[in-house]
Every structure is written in C-alpha cells, then in structure tokens.
Amino acid sequence: MRVRRAAAADVEAVGRAYAAGAQDEVVTAWVTEGYPDVATAFRAEHAPKVIERAVREDEVWIAGPGEEVWSVSVWHHVTAVDRYEAEARETAEMASRAQQMRPMVRLAAVTELVAQSHPREFPHRYLQSIVTVPEHRGQGAGAAILTARLPAAAEPVYLEASTQRSAALYERCGFVRTGHTLALPEGGPVLIPMWFRGRSPVPDAQTSAG
C-alpha cells in the first residue's frame, strides 16, 4: 500500500475516487437524502471541485497499490477559524434564498456546526475528510494514510468522526475523543470530535511527497 501526496496531475483521478468514496458517507448521505439529482451533482461537480481546491490550497494524501487511488484524505493547516466562518455565512446565505431545497438547508447546518464548534487551539491540522472507494473498503488503505501521516504531524490533529465505527479506527491510531458530541438537526448524524496529540502508530506504508 503506497501513501503519497496528490499533485495537480492527480486531480482528475483523485476527484473520481473522492466522489465515489464520499457519496455514501453519512453526512453527505444525510444532506442529499431524497434528492438524487443533488447526489448526482455532488459526484459530478462538487466533489471534483473540492479536490481541485484542496490540492491547490491544502493537502490531499492518497493511498492505494502503485498508482491506484483507493483512499483520499483532505488535511487543513489551521491557524484561525475565519475560513469555516466564511463558509458558514456563504452557505447560510444560499440556503436563505432556497429554503425549499432541504439539501441546502442541511448543508448550512453542517457548515454552521463546524464553524461554531471548531477548536480555537492554534495551530493544528484538521483532517477534514477521509474516504475510501466502496470496492476497496476493509483493505487497509484509509488506515495506511493515518499510520503514515500521523507520525509526521508536527502539530495536534483534529477531526470529527461521523460514525462510531470510524471513531474506533481513529482510536486505534491514537486519537482520543474530547468527551462531547455534535448533533446535526432533523435526526442527522452525531459527530464525534477527536484529537491526536502525538502517540505514533507503527508505520507500515511507503510514503512519498511527490
């Protein structure tokens, strides 16, 4: 299993893998529930744009055998919460103009919750998302990214696990729950904030920065 940082030349392939892996992630599924056209737009338009921006402005680390992309992770270097507050304001404005569109209203709830609850401990890394292509789940690609990247983290790493199963994986890699949870409205998922503060898992993956 090879772990490497995605470059501009990888954007198309990584965007496809991210769209495939994220479409049934519980928060995305909750946002798009009952709106198949929105789910299609997420895969075809939104997910590739997320990756294009993240490769340009943040860090995208991927894993798979050779040049294959099985898992995709997006990492932010955080020194302030301005970015998340701006995203929340922008999404809230769009939702106010399209109140009949439940996915937009739910997306606004997600961005608002992230902005309000994001830690004010700076600097830190934010593992914004990590997903695996459905047919390659359970084969260690996501764990390979964590075991390769966490020992290299010079700062604490924060994330919100979206399921108890994913939280258990993060705990095995050294993350610790903060002791509180973040509930989305309308019976939505309950997010589990977690920190990694330096216990290094045993690396078992080849890592390269190219």
Side-chain angles (χ1 to χ4, degrees):
M1 194 68 67
R2 181 186 177 207
V3 176
R4 63 187 178 93
R5 184 173 179 177
D10 300 306
V11 164
E12 184 177 352
V14 176
R16 288 196 302 269
Y18 182 79
Q23 63 183 334
D24 62 351
E25 186 276 328
V26 295
V27 174
T28 302
W30 175 72
V31 168
T32 61
E33 180 184 16
Y35 287 79
D37 56 330
V38 175
T40 298
F42 169 81
R43 294 191 298 271
E45 301 171 19
H46 180 69
K49 288 179 180 177
V50 167
I51 293 303
E52 182 179 12
R53 176 184 176 184
V55 167
R56 184 177 65 250
E57 300 179 5
D58 301 303
E59 292 185 19
V60 178
W61 287 85
I62 57 180
E67 296 300 312
E68 294 186 47
V69 182
W70 287 12
S71 284
V72 180
S73 62
V74 177
W75 304 67
H76 300 172
H77 178 245
V78 184
T79 57
V81 295
D82 302 14
R83 169 181 185 168
Y84 309 113
E85 291 175 342
E87 289 175 354
R89 287 193 300 270
E90 180 182 350
T91 310
E93 290 172 2
M94 291 188 292
S96 70
R97 296 193 296 268
Q99 295 183 17
Q100 73 281 7
M101 283 292 293
R102 188 177 64 189
M104 184 56 67
V105 173
R106 288 187 169 184
L107 181 59
V110 174
T111 57
E112 177 66 17
L113 185 64
V114 168
Q116 287 184 348
S117 63
H118 201 95
R120 271 58 174 174
E121 175 184 327
F122 309 117
H124 65 264
R125 295 280 174 172
Y126 178 35
L127 179 49
Q128 189 267 337
S129 61
I130 180 168
V131 299
T132 300
V133 176
E135 58 264 35
H136 299 308
R137 289 173 184 164
Q139 300 180 58
I145 292 175
L146 294 172
T147 57
R149 294 309 306 154
L150 290 176
E155 301 159 346
V157 181
Y158 172 78
L159 59 78
E160 299 111 351
S162 57
T163 66
Q164 292 291 342
R165 180 177 180 180
S166 61
L169 168 63
Y170 298 135
E171 285 178 320
R172 290 196 295 273
C173 292
F175 281 86
V176 176
R177 304 180 192 221
T178 64
H180 69 279
T181 56
L182 307 172
L184 287 163
E186 300 182 17
V190 176
L191 306 181
I192 306 166
M194 306 181 76
W195 281 102
F196 174 86
R197 297 187 184 277
R199 184 182 73 77
S200 298
V202 178
D204 62 359
Q206 175 188 351
T207 306
S208 63

PDB file of all heavy atoms in Angstrom, residues 119-134:
ATOM      1  N   PRO A 119     -12.212  23.820  17.158  1.00  0.00           N
ATOM      2  CA  PRO A 119     -11.340  24.227  18.267  1.00  0.00           C
ATOM      3  C   PRO A 119     -10.613  25.539  17.995  1.00  0.00           C
ATOM      4  O   PRO A 119     -10.233  25.835  16.866  1.00  0.00           O
ATOM      5  CB  PRO A 119     -10.339  23.068  18.367  1.00  0.00           C
ATOM      6  CG  PRO A 119     -10.999  21.924  17.701  1.00  0.00           C
ATOM      7  CD  PRO A 119     -11.866  22.491  16.640  1.00  0.00           C
ATOM      8  N   ARG A 120     -10.452  26.292  19.043  1.00  0.00           N
ATOM      9  CA  ARG A 120      -9.684  27.544  18.981  1.00  0.00           C
ATOM     10  C   ARG A 120      -8.281  27.328  19.515  1.00  0.00           C
ATOM     11  O   ARG A 120      -7.671  28.208  20.122  1.00  0.00           O
ATOM     12  CB  ARG A 120     -10.385  28.645  19.762  1.00  0.00           C
ATOM     13  CG  ARG A 120     -11.382  29.473  18.956  1.00  0.00           C
ATOM     14  CD  ARG A 120     -12.506  28.689  18.320  1.00  0.00           C
ATOM     15  NE  ARG A 120     -13.498  29.572  17.678  1.00  0.00           N
ATOM     16  CZ  ARG A 120     -14.513  29.125  16.953  1.00  0.00           C
ATOM     17  NH1 ARG A 120     -14.694  27.819  16.766  1.00  0.00           N
ATOM     18  NH2 ARG A 120     -15.362  29.984  16.404  1.00  0.00           N
ATOM     19  N   GLU A 121      -7.733  26.183  19.300  1.00  0.00           N
ATOM     20  CA  GLU A 121      -6.357  25.860  19.688  1.00  0.00           C
ATOM     21  C   GLU A 121      -5.511  25.879  18.417  1.00  0.00           C
ATOM     22  O   GLU A 121      -5.677  25.036  17.540  1.00  0.00           O
ATOM     23  CB  GLU A 121      -6.290  24.476  20.339  1.00  0.00           C
ATOM     24  CG  GLU A 121      -4.893  24.015  20.667  1.00  0.00           C
ATOM     25  CD  GLU A 121      -4.863  22.599  21.216  1.00  0.00           C
ATOM     26  OE1 GLU A 121      -5.815  22.204  21.910  1.00  0.00           O
ATOM     27  OE2 GLU A 121      -3.878  21.889  20.950  1.00  0.00           O
ATOM     28  N   PHE A 122      -4.618  26.841  18.312  1.00  0.00           N
ATOM     29  CA  PHE A 122      -3.854  27.022  17.081  1.00  0.00           C
ATOM     30  C   PHE A 122      -2.350  26.977  17.369  1.00  0.00           C
ATOM     31  O   PHE A 122      -1.915  27.374  18.441  1.00  0.00           O
ATOM     32  CB  PHE A 122      -4.207  28.376  16.440  1.00  0.00           C
ATOM     33  CG  PHE A 122      -5.678  28.622  16.278  1.00  0.00           C
ATOM     34  CD1 PHE A 122      -6.293  29.679  16.944  1.00  0.00           C
ATOM     35  CD2 PHE A 122      -6.452  27.784  15.482  1.00  0.00           C
ATOM     36  CE1 PHE A 122      -7.639  29.916  16.796  1.00  0.00           C
ATOM     37  CE2 PHE A 122      -7.808  28.016  15.336  1.00  0.00           C
ATOM     38  CZ  PHE A 122      -8.412  29.085  15.987  1.00  0.00           C
ATOM     39  N   PRO A 123      -1.600  26.515  16.347  1.00  0.00           N
ATOM     40  CA  PRO A 123      -2.053  25.915  15.106  1.00  0.00           C
ATOM     41  C   PRO A 123      -2.379  24.434  15.306  1.00  0.00           C
ATOM     42  O   PRO A 123      -1.922  23.816  16.264  1.00  0.00           O
ATOM     43  CB  PRO A 123      -0.843  26.074  14.182  1.00  0.00           C
ATOM     44  CG  PRO A 123       0.335  25.987  15.124  1.00  0.00           C
ATOM     45  CD  PRO A 123      -0.121  26.625  16.409  1.00  0.00           C
ATOM     46  N   HIS A 124      -3.148  23.872  14.378  1.00  0.00           N
ATOM     47  CA  HIS A 124      -3.380  22.441  14.368  1.00  0.00           C
ATOM     48  C   HIS A 124      -3.704  21.984  12.955  1.00  0.00           C
ATOM     49  O   HIS A 124      -3.928  22.801  12.067  1.00  0.00           O
ATOM     50  CB  HIS A 124      -4.513  22.034  15.330  1.00  0.00           C
ATOM     51  CG  HIS A 124      -5.854  22.565  14.944  1.00  0.00           C
ATOM     52  ND1 HIS A 124      -6.378  23.719  15.471  1.00  0.00           N
ATOM     53  CD2 HIS A 124      -6.811  22.100  14.091  1.00  0.00           C
ATOM     54  CE1 HIS A 124      -7.584  23.954  14.974  1.00  0.00           C
ATOM     55  NE2 HIS A 124      -7.870  22.975  14.120  1.00  0.00           N
ATOM     56  N   ARG A 125      -3.679  20.695  12.764  1.00  0.00           N
ATOM     57  CA  ARG A 125      -4.110  20.090  11.493  1.00  0.00           C
ATOM     58  C   ARG A 125      -5.547  19.619  11.660  1.00  0.00           C
ATOM     59  O   ARG A 125      -5.924  19.089  12.705  1.00  0.00           O
ATOM     60  CB  ARG A 125      -3.224  18.912  11.131  1.00  0.00           C
ATOM     61  CG  ARG A 125      -1.773  19.300  10.852  1.00  0.00           C
ATOM     62  CD  ARG A 125      -1.596  19.850   9.464  1.00  0.00           C
ATOM     63  NE  ARG A 125      -0.240  20.359   9.236  1.00  0.00           N
ATOM     64  CZ  ARG A 125       0.227  20.760   8.072  1.00  0.00           C
ATOM     65  NH1 ARG A 125      -0.563  20.697   7.018  1.00  0.00           N
ATOM     66  NH2 ARG A 125       1.441  21.228   7.958  1.00  0.00           N
ATOM     67  N   TYR A 126      -6.321  19.815  10.619  1.00  0.00           N
ATOM     68  CA  TYR A 126      -7.717  19.367  10.605  1.00  0.00           C
ATOM     69  C   TYR A 126      -7.858  18.312   9.523  1.00  0.00           C
ATOM     70  O   TYR A 126      -7.679  18.604   8.335  1.00  0.00           O
ATOM     71  CB  TYR A 126      -8.624  20.555  10.332  1.00  0.00           C
ATOM     72  CG  TYR A 126     -10.109  20.252  10.230  1.00  0.00           C
ATOM     73  CD1 TYR A 126     -10.723  19.278  11.014  1.00  0.00           C
ATOM     74  CD2 TYR A 126     -10.908  20.991   9.356  1.00  0.00           C
ATOM     75  CE1 TYR A 126     -12.089  19.041  10.923  1.00  0.00           C
ATOM     76  CE2 TYR A 126     -12.278  20.766   9.265  1.00  0.00           C
ATOM     77  CZ  TYR A 126     -12.858  19.785  10.047  1.00  0.00           C
ATOM     78  OH  TYR A 126     -14.206  19.557   9.961  1.00  0.00           O
ATOM     79  N   LEU A 127      -8.118  17.098   9.921  1.00  0.00           N
ATOM     80  CA  LEU A 127      -8.400  16.034   8.965  1.00  0.00           C
ATOM     81  C   LEU A 127      -9.869  16.181   8.576  1.00  0.00           C
ATOM     82  O   LEU A 127     -10.760  15.647   9.218  1.00  0.00           O
ATOM     83  CB  LEU A 127      -8.111  14.663   9.571  1.00  0.00           C
ATOM     84  CG  LEU A 127      -8.384  13.441   8.688  1.00  0.00           C
ATOM     85  CD1 LEU A 127      -7.766  13.583   7.309  1.00  0.00           C
ATOM     86  CD2 LEU A 127      -7.880  12.172   9.374  1.00  0.00           C
ATOM     87  N   GLN A 128     -10.093  16.974   7.537  1.00  0.00           N
ATOM     88  CA  GLN A 128     -11.449  17.361   7.164  1.00  0.00           C
ATOM     89  C   GLN A 128     -12.266  16.174   6.666  1.00  0.00           C
ATOM     90  O   GLN A 128     -13.468  16.085   6.933  1.00  0.00           O
ATOM     91  CB  GLN A 128     -11.382  18.473   6.108  1.00  0.00           C
ATOM     92  CG  GLN A 128     -12.714  19.117   5.777  1.00  0.00           C
ATOM     93  CD  GLN A 128     -13.383  18.463   4.590  1.00  0.00           C
ATOM     94  OE1 GLN A 128     -12.733  17.835   3.761  1.00  0.00           O
ATOM     95  NE2 GLN A 128     -14.691  18.610   4.521  1.00  0.00           N
ATOM     96  N   SER A 129     -11.613  15.271   5.951  1.00  0.00           N
ATOM     97  CA  SER A 129     -12.328  14.072   5.483  1.00  0.00           C
ATOM     98  C   SER A 129     -11.338  13.008   5.060  1.00  0.00           C
ATOM     99  O   SER A 129     -10.210  13.304   4.649  1.00  0.00           O
ATOM    100  CB  SER A 129     -13.263  14.407   4.306  1.00  0.00           C
ATOM    101  OG  SER A 129     -12.521  14.901   3.206  1.00  0.00           O
ATOM    102  N   ILE A 130     -11.763  11.772   5.183  1.00  0.00           N
ATOM    103  CA  ILE A 130     -11.011  10.629   4.666  1.00  0.00           C
ATOM    104  C   ILE A 130     -12.038   9.590   4.219  1.00  0.00           C
ATOM    105  O   ILE A 130     -12.915   9.211   4.996  1.00  0.00           O
ATOM    106  CB  ILE A 130     -10.020  10.065   5.709  1.00  0.00           C
ATOM    107  CG1 ILE A 130      -9.253   8.879   5.134  1.00  0.00           C
ATOM    108  CG2 ILE A 130     -10.702   9.714   7.016  1.00  0.00           C
ATOM    109  CD1 ILE A 130      -8.058   8.457   5.995  1.00  0.00           C
ATOM    110  N   VAL A 131     -11.963   9.208   2.957  1.00  0.00           N
ATOM    111  CA  VAL A 131     -12.946   8.291   2.383  1.00  0.00           C
ATOM    112  C   VAL A 131     -12.233   7.233   1.560  1.00  0.00           C
ATOM    113  O   VAL A 131     -11.110   7.443   1.074  1.00  0.00           O
ATOM    114  CB  VAL A 131     -13.971   9.039   1.495  1.00  0.00           C
ATOM    115  CG1 VAL A 131     -14.739  10.069   2.312  1.00  0.00           C
ATOM    116  CG2 VAL A 131     -13.295   9.700   0.296  1.00  0.00           C
ATOM    117  N   THR A 132     -12.916   6.118   1.379  1.00  0.00           N
ATOM    118  CA  THR A 132     -12.371   5.011   0.596  1.00  0.00           C
ATOM    119  C   THR A 132     -13.388   4.586  -0.451  1.00  0.00           C
ATOM    120  O   THR A 132     -14.590   4.508  -0.167  1.00  0.00           O
ATOM    121  CB  THR A 132     -12.024   3.825   1.507  1.00  0.00           C
ATOM    122  OG1 THR A 132     -11.053   4.234   2.480  1.00  0.00           O
ATOM    123  CG2 THR A 132     -11.439   2.656   0.699  1.00  0.00           C
ATOM    124  N   VAL A 133     -12.916   4.311  -1.639  1.00  0.00           N
ATOM    125  CA  VAL A 133     -13.766   3.823  -2.724  1.00  0.00           C
ATOM    126  C   VAL A 133     -14.458   2.547  -2.247  1.00  0.00           C
ATOM    127  O   VAL A 133     -13.807   1.665  -1.664  1.00  0.00           O
ATOM    128  CB  VAL A 133     -12.922   3.557  -3.983  1.00  0.00           C
ATOM    129  CG1 VAL A 133     -13.776   2.964  -5.096  1.00  0.00           C
ATOM    130  CG2 VAL A 133     -12.255   4.845  -4.443  1.00  0.00           C
ATOM    131  N   PRO A 134     -15.769   2.412  -2.440  1.00  0.00           N
ATOM    132  CA  PRO A 134     -16.514   1.289  -1.843  1.00  0.00           C
ATOM    133  C   PRO A 134     -15.912  -0.088  -2.079  1.00  0.00           C
ATOM    134  O   PRO A 134     -15.818  -0.903  -1.155  1.00  0.00           O
ATOM    135  CB  PRO A 134     -17.904   1.419  -2.478  1.00  0.00           C
ATOM    136  CG  PRO A 134     -18.050   2.885  -2.724  1.00  0.00           C
ATOM    137  CD  PRO A 134     -16.681   3.364  -3.108  1.00  0.00           C
TER     138      PRO A 134
END
